[in-house]
Amino acid sequence: MPEIETLADDGQLRNYANGQWTEITGSNGQDIVNPATGETLGHVPFSDEADVDRVVGQALEAFQDWQSTPVEERIQPLFELKQLLEEHESDLAELVVQEHGKTLAEARGEVRRGIENVEVACGIPSMMQAGNLSHAAPEIDESAVRQPLGVFTAITPFNFPAMIPLWFLPYAVATGNSFILKPSEQDPLTARLIFQLIDEAGFPDGVVNMVHGGPEAVNALLDHDDIAGASFVGSTPIAKHVYERGAKNGKRVQAQGGAKNHVIVTESADLDFAAEKVLSASCACAGERCLALDNVVIEDSIYDDFVDRTVELADEMTVSQGLEDDVDMGALITPEHERNVRNHIQTGIEEGATLFRDGRDITVDGYEDGNFLGPTVFGDVTADMVIAREEIFGPVVNLMRAENFDEAVETVNESRFGNAASLFTNNGHKANRFKKEAEAGNLGVNVGTVAPMAFFHFGGQKDSFFGDLHAQGEDMIQFYTDKTIYIERWPDQ
Ligand code: NAD
């Protein structure tokens, strides 16, 4: 495991505030456990209201100078951070594997995606410009400027501990705000390592901060008068809570929630290609992804063929500790979550779905204490079943029949979630219809994982998102700034 230099001797994590590692005075906390081995990696104490208040005060003070620091100066620590993240890409990826349980290839991918957001934020001098027009009215010139707003926070989930904090942090500080990260308490060591690099990158003290904790810390941030806005990524019930509580307190809020994504496979699709992409999109990160394609809606004429291909590919997948060679799927985050996924599989059986492949019968040699499940494939799933409606967040693929394309699109749109949907087809007309008719924030055609690059926004619709401006790219700049108009007349004296 890469060395976490400033972790206290007793394995307790600390907050990072005002450029210092500071002890957490809150009384609760939890162990950080490697999901594949059961080994305890450290302990994260939970910040209480007083811990949060101290950090917000320091962040607000840092904002006073940072907001008027020339933009060219503001982006220099971001260039430095990109360099440091790249130098430590392998350390970060290995740490993600150890505390999250995903495979090394998946962890490398997420670190890369995080770094891309730092790269995009380095373009803030151009992206932050708002617009101007001379002769907007007789003798009048008008221009608009974007200004930062103060202290922002982001509350992030366990499933992408390196990438998701970086959907927010670089844009918040590049636009001239100060920032407080509240990472997931389940795998906070990755954020810990990123902040070690932030400490070296040259940001002024107090501009970038981190508080560890659970619900108490989140609510203290949402209630604090000096927090201008909050970004949230996590499950739908908590996203709703964060959106409502933050908005009630007059803050800007963007809250990304859970998902239940669909993919349609039409009879014209390249079935080998589709089966491979669909299975990997369902089971990557052991299904713990908001972009997992859980519900596969297949045109009737190719249903049996697609079932065979999917089960065959699922049989070939290897499951083990993510740092081992040639591993396709790693561990689930906790034993409780593994139990939850097992319960969903039992529910599917009781609801009458056909269990084509049971991932529950699994032992992983050398890792008997790990939270493992194999890929599980259900067939004859219908849209009214619990397993088709609820987010399972595990490696469970639901194969569903549709008589035709219209019925398949209806099934997609019946879902209360709208994070992502994908279509596999060789028919351009159906692809066009899908783009116009399917209700989700991220739509793919012949694409398994519908993840936009950092220079595009990322966010869902319906119960997958609460707010208006999404993560990443241009939306982040709007979220982190307000616009002022200057209207000027300079008559001849
Ligand atoms: P979670 O909702 O349990 O936790 C997310 C964050 O909320 C954590 O930082 C946690 O400390 C905090 N939190 C938890 N309970 C809280 C409470 N009662 N009050 C205040 N704060 C609370 O989510 P998770 O299990 O860490 O992550 C998985 C979920 O995240 C899935 O539903 C997944 O779909 C979703 N997710 C969504 C996206 C997206 O872009 N839409 C991306 C990644 C993950």
Side-chain angles (χ1 to χ4, degrees), residues 155-159 164 167 182-185 213-215 218 232-235 238 241 256-259 290 391 393 419 458:
I155 298 139
T156 55
F158 81 85
N159 66 329
I164 293 183
W167 281 354
K182 205 303 283 171
S184 170
E185 61 276 39
V218 172
F232 174 86
V233 184
S235 59
I238 312 298
H241 162 77
Q256 310 205 173
C290 68
E391 181 175 45
F393 228 50
N419 208 38
F458 176 54

Side-chain angles (χ1 to χ4, degrees), residues 46 154-160 163-164 167 182-187 213-219 222 232-239 241-242 245 255-261 288-291 333 337 391 393 417 419 442 458-460 464-465 471:
F46 289 177
I155 298 139
T156 55
F158 81 85
N159 66 329
F160 285 96
M163 176 183 75
I164 293 183
W167 281 354
K182 205 303 283 171
S184 170
E185 61 276 39
Q186 307 207 58
D187 48 9
E216 186 182 357
V218 172
N219 291 334
L222 296 172
F232 174 86
V233 184
S235 59
T236 289
I238 312 298
H241 162 77
V242 167
R245 191 154 177 159
Q256 310 205 173
K260 189 77 189 177
N261 304 307
E288 293 170 331
R289 293 200 309 173
C290 68
L291 290 177
I333 187 74
H337 184 55
E391 181 175 45
F393 228 50
F417 296 104
N419 208 38
N442 302 284
F458 176 54
S464 296
F465 183 72

Side-chain angles (χ1 to χ4, degrees), residues 14-22 24 47 51-64 66 78 81 150-156 165-166 168-170 172-174 176-184 188 190-213 217 221 226-227 229 231 480:
R14 295 173 177 195
N15 287 340
Y16 181 82
N18 209 26
Q20 308 284 327
W21 295 101
T22 56
I24 297 169
S47 303
D51 288 309
V52 168
D53 185 54
R54 265 193 305 279
V55 181
V56 175
Q58 289 162 331
L60 185 64
E61 185 156 349
F63 171 69
Q64 306 312 327
W66 185 243
L78 285 171
L81 180 60
V151 185
F152 278 84
T153 184
I155 298 139
T156 55
L166 295 173
F168 308 106
L169 185 158
V173 298
N177 299 284
S178 48
F179 180 81
I180 302 172
L181 174 69
K182 205 303 283 171
S184 170
T190 304
R192 177 68 189 69
L193 181 49
I194 291 175
F195 269 73
Q196 222 169 285
L197 304 178
I198 282 171
D199 191 54
E200 287 178 40
F203 292 99
D205 290 350
V207 168
V208 200
N209 310 276
M210 173 168 60
V211 292
H212 291 290
L221 286 162
D226 293 329
I227 291 282
S231 304
Y480 285 131

